[in-house]
Amino acid sequence: MIRRYVEVDHAKVLELHLLGLKQFDAESPRGRWDADIDDIEGVYLSKNGEFLVGELDGEVVAMGGFWRKTEKVAELKRMRVHPKYQRRGYGQAILTELEKRAMSMGYSSMLLDTLPIMAPARRLYTKNGFVQTGTKRVGRFEAILYEKSLE
C-alpha cells in the first residue's frame, strides 16, 4: 500500500533513509545535507510537496517525496527502498505515484540528484524518462543531476 506520510512514520522513515545511505557508503554527518528528513511535514507536505511511504505487512519498505523548487518544478528527494525489498517494483510504484501527484499539483517538470554509486536508482530514473543534465557537489559527493518533463 502506498500512502501519504504521517508523523508516526518518522522513526521508520529515518531508519530507512539511513539504511539506504549506508548501503552505498554514502553516509554523511546527520543533518548536514539531509535535515529535511527531520521535518517532513514542514519541508514537504505544507509547502506544495508530497512525501509517500510504501507499506508491506505494516512495515515501511519504501519512501520518497518531492518539494517545490519553483512554481512549475518539483524536486524529487529521499527515494529509498529497503534492501530486502529492492528489485520488486516498490521504487517504481513510489516514483509513479509521486509523478502523478506532482502533475495534479500543476508541476510541469521534475528534477533530482543522485550519486554515481547508486546505479539501481540511476537505472530507475533513466528508464522513466529522466535525462542527465549535469553534476553538482553534495557534501563530499559529486552528484548527477537529472530532469524530466511531466507534460
Side-chain angles (χ1 to χ4, degrees), residues 4 7 20 69 76 82:
R4 190 174 223 208
E7 187 61 35
K69 186 77 172 175
L76 187 68
H82 192 287

Side-chain angles (χ1 to χ4, degrees), residues 1 5 12 22 36 45 52 54 56 58-59 66 68 75 83 92 104 107 113 115 126 130 133:
M1 169 177 54
Y5 167 92
K12 291 179 180 181
K22 185 176 183 179
D36 59 286
L45 303 181
L52 303 175
L56 181 65
E59 291 298 316
F66 65 81
R68 180 184 190 267
E75 184 170 5
Q92 180 66 63
S104 74
Y107 292 107
D113 63 72
L115 300 179
T126 56
F130 284 85
T133 60

Side-chain angles (χ1 to χ4, degrees), residues 24 114 118-126:
F24 291 99
T114 192
M118 295 182 173
R122 291 176 45 223
R123 283 191 299 272
L124 174 68
Y125 301 138
T126 56

